[in-house]
Amino acid sequence: MLIDTEKWQEIFLTLNQHKMRTALTAFGVFWGIFMLTVLLGAGKALENGVVEDFKEIPNSAWIWSQSPTQIAYQGLPIGRQIQLKAADVEAIKNSVPSVAKIYAQNSVGIWGGSPAYTVYKKNNGSFSIQGTHAGMANIHQQKIVEGRYINEIDDEKRRKVAIIGTRVKDVLFKQGENPIGADITLSGISFQVVGVYKSSSSNPNSSEEERIYIPNDTLRYAFNQVDWVGSFVVIPPPGIHAMVAEADVKKFLFARNKVDPNDVGVLGSFNLQSEFDKIYGLFTGINIFSWIVAIGTIMAGAIGVGNIMLIVVKERTREIGLRKALGATPSSIIGMIVQESVLITAVAGYFGLVIGVLLLEGINALMEANGGSAGMFRNPEVDFNTAISAVIVLIISGLLASLMPAAKAAAVNPIVALQDE
């Protein structure tokens, strides 16, 4: 027979005779798998919450003018402030192969200066203005909730149109009033509202929705910033890391403005992809830590199973001796001990895995009922591969727990075992 039913009946009978001992032994394994499931689920929830803010943002880098030169170069003195210009955009497009797209950005009241005094009818407020281009909604982490985003015609014709954040709308417009098509004045200049956006960032303290976005060239000409650009957003082609594009653009600008390549403080930069890579590295560390803690707990449970099996072997020494005297082979004795140990660890671990997953599903259901997230946590889950890995750990733990008791059982001398005590 492929399955020895009598042997399994005997194992179940033995376990049933010592219910409390079996339950306490199994609890260590149960708790280890339960901890593994919950820790990995919590780590995944944190990862999902953070990645949600990044998943629609392209592989990109920001570059801006930062400090005056500190090193004399090619006969030019120190103390020069390198100013980015609109002409640099076309030059970079034509000269830097690692750049697929580049956007110039200017602003009012964000990196210094006063915000724009904004008026609509009898309502007013002071809000920062950011220049943008068609296709930059993802870069700015924006979701249009009313109207539309800035388009290419707005860019080309330098239209005086604006998209406003939801908090700007709350200040300037009455509840229920449609802002689309309304004319607002920014520092005395009239703009037509064409869209309302909400930030897709999960940061509740973000001031992003208190800004007004207009076409960048419109901003430059309307607010006397024609001769310079505040920053560049650089996007490399697929397959090239933003770090490469960032370095290439800075190298090009250094050469174009005759700046010593070692004068590192002249241009500031921020590489989003590198930050994203660091975050993923952190999550990898969290997962490794979770596995270490959980496997340590599982091994402690397995040691408990092994100790109990040693007690079982000692209690059943006469029985094992009798079996061997009647012709039972050492392999059959070992198989009996191994099967009992694996059964305890497998059943306990299975229940630990199931209850852990049910707990995560319950937490996820509560999150969905409250908007889909709780702070930085979103959609706690354990994937199928992790579950399979946990099952493999269980099987190995059960086998390891049975090795010493099985070896001791196989070494029982039937003559000694059957002697009267």
Side-chain angles (χ1 to χ4, degrees):
M1 294 178 65
L2 294 177
I3 300 177
D4 191 339
T5 56
E6 291 184 0
K7 182 177 292 186
W8 281 107
Q9 288 176 354
E10 184 179 348
I11 290 174
F12 284 123
L13 178 62
T14 303
L15 295 177
N16 191 53
Q17 289 175 346
H18 302 89
K19 296 178 182 178
M20 181 61 69
R21 185 173 71 185
T22 301
L24 293 176
T25 302
F27 182 77
V29 178
F30 164 87
W31 189 250
I33 292 294
F34 176 79
M35 282 184 60
L36 173 64
T37 305
V38 172
L39 286 173
L40 290 178
K44 188 64 176 179
L46 179 61
E47 178 181 342
N48 290 340
V50 173
V51 170
E52 184 70 20
D53 288 344
F54 286 89
K55 68 180 183 180
E56 294 182 353
I57 303 176
N59 177 24
S60 55
W62 280 256
I63 299 172
W64 61 89
S65 177
Q66 187 166 265
S67 302
T69 57
Q70 299 294 314
I71 302 174
Y73 187 68
Q74 293 186 0
L76 298 173
I78 63 173
R80 292 182 298 129
Q81 185 71 48
I82 304 305
Q83 197 64 259
L84 304 181
K85 298 179 175 62
D88 294 333
V89 173
E90 288 301 321
I92 291 170
K93 283 182 180 179
N94 297 329
S95 305
V96 183
S98 59
V99 174
K101 296 179 181 179
I102 179 170
Y103 300 103
Q105 289 194 130
N106 290 62
S107 63
V108 174
I110 295 181
W111 302 109
S114 301
Y117 183 65
T118 306
V119 178
Y120 174 69
K121 294 182 179 179
K122 295 182 179 180
N123 299 322
N124 60 78
S126 294
F127 302 104
S128 299
I129 305 174
Q130 174 73 59
T132 188
H133 299 264
M136 289 192 72
N138 288 347
I139 294 175
H140 292 304
Q141 293 182 272
Q142 295 168 329
K143 293 181 179 179
I144 295 297
V145 293
E146 296 181 52
R148 63 173 178 84
Y149 198 71
I150 302 300
N151 59 35
E152 294 179 355
I153 299 177
D154 297 330
D155 286 334
E156 182 181 347
K157 296 188 176 182
R158 300 176 193 163
R159 286 176 171 172
K160 289 185 172 64
V161 294
I163 60 170
I164 61 176
T166 53
R167 296 184 191 175
V168 177
K169 175 189 172 183
D170 292 341
V171 172
L172 298 181
F173 296 88
K174 296 178 182 178
Q175 187 173 5
E177 185 176 3
N178 183 14
I180 306 303
D183 291 324
I184 60 176
T185 60
L186 308 178
S187 296
I189 304 172
S190 180
F191 286 80
Q192 184 182 65
V193 177
V194 296
V196 178
Y197 73 88
K198 183 177 179 63
S199 176
S200 59
S201 170
S202 63
N203 181 4
N205 299 316
S206 173
S207 61
E208 172 64 25
E209 292 171 6
E210 297 175 2
R211 294 182 184 177
I212 298 172
Y213 284 75
I214 65 176
N216 196 72
D217 281 351
T218 304
L219 187 153
R220 291 174 55 237
Y221 281 85
F223 292 91
N224 196 28
Q225 298 181 14
V226 177
D227 296 331
W228 58 277
V229 168
S231 63
F232 293 139
V233 179
V234 176
I235 300 176
I240 295 181
H241 198 286
M243 184 187 302
V244 176
E246 173 191 359
D248 289 347
V249 171
K250 291 176 74 173
K251 181 178 179 181
F252 175 81
L253 291 172
F254 274 34
R256 184 176 174 86
N257 292 278
K258 297 183 180 180
V259 176
D260 191 305
N262 297 316
D263 205 345
V264 293
V266 173
L267 295 177
S269 61
F270 172 78
N271 184 339
L272 186 63
Q273 188 62 35
S274 293
E275 297 302 314
F276 195 56
D277 293 343
K278 291 177 184 178
I279 291 172
Y280 260 108
L282 173 63
F283 291 134
T284 300
I286 291 174
N287 287 337
I288 292 173
F289 173 77
S290 299
W291 275 100
I292 291 174
V293 171
I295 288 177
T297 307
I298 293 171
M299 293 307 296
I303 291 172
V305 173
N307 289 333
I308 292 300
M309 296 308 299
L310 284 172
I311 295 173
V312 169
V313 169
K314 184 174 182 180
E315 290 177 345
R316 300 171 64 182
T317 299
R318 289 178 61 83
E319 175 192 333
I320 293 171
L322 180 60
R323 286 174 180 270
K324 296 185 74 172
L326 293 175
T329 62
S331 61
S332 67
I333 301 297
I334 290 174
M336 178 181 66
I337 301 300
V338 169
Q339 283 178 319
E340 188 170 334
S341 176
V342 170
L343 177 65
I344 293 173
T345 54
V347 172
Y350 173 77
F351 278 103
L353 181 63
V354 169
I355 293 176
V357 170
L358 289 176
L359 176 63
L360 293 177
E361 289 296 325
I363 294 174
N364 187 42
L366 290 175
M367 287 185 179
E368 291 294 333
N370 290 277
S373 64
M376 295 296 291
F377 290 86
R378 181 185 297 269
N379 189 25
E381 59 185 355
V382 176
D383 61 26
F384 179 76
N385 290 334
T386 301
I388 294 298
S389 299
V391 171
I392 293 173
V393 170
L394 281 176
I395 295 173
I396 294 174
S397 298
L399 289 173
L400 292 176
S402 65
L403 291 180
M404 185 180 293
K408 188 170 183 179
V412 168
N413 187 322
I415 297 176
V416 175
L418 293 174
Q419 289 178 347
D420 293 332
E421 295 183 357

